[in-house]
Amino acid sequence: CSTMQQRYKEREEGKKISLSDEKMSQLIDLGFVFGVRKPLNVGSQKKVSWEERYGELLEFKEEHGHVIVPQNSGPLGTWVKGEP
């Protein structure tokens, strides 16, 4: 289970990753800061599309004025820390 941060690092190292340039640009444009962290082990949860979580992140930014989602704040926090 790779995290978005790990995917970013892999991308910077020239490796092929599943996080597209377009999706990464969308996150960066929103103010998302990538940093490498330990992978998050998550049990079986309903799989939500990247677009749905991105939409939730947009709503979070609208409400809070930033994209620093607390990692223990539920599914969005889990997604920001690392996609399950």
Side-chain angles (χ1 to χ4, degrees), residues 49-61 76 79:
S49 74
W50 190 94
E51 288 78 14
E52 288 175 282
R53 286 289 185 241
Y54 181 74
E56 292 174 16
L57 188 59
L58 288 173
E59 291 174 13
F60 183 92
K61 183 175 183 179
L76 182 59
W79 180 77

Side-chain angles (χ1 to χ4, degrees), residues 17-72:
I17 61 167
S18 62
L19 189 61
S20 70
D21 289 343
E22 179 184 351
K23 289 179 179 178
M24 190 169 294
S25 292
Q26 287 177 300
L27 289 171
I28 291 169
D29 289 345
L30 195 60
F32 191 86
V33 177
F34 287 90
V36 179
R37 298 195 177 136
K38 287 176 63 177
L40 178 64
N41 294 323
V42 177
S44 62
Q45 294 180 349
K46 178 185 167 208
K47 187 74 172 172
V48 177
S49 74
W50 190 94
E51 288 78 14
E52 288 175 282
R53 286 289 185 241
Y54 181 74
E56 292 174 16
L57 188 59
L58 288 173
E59 291 174 13
F60 183 92
K61 183 175 183 179
E62 180 75 24
E63 182 177 338
H64 300 281
H66 59 80
V67 292
I68 304 169
V69 180
Q71 296 174 5
N72 62 353

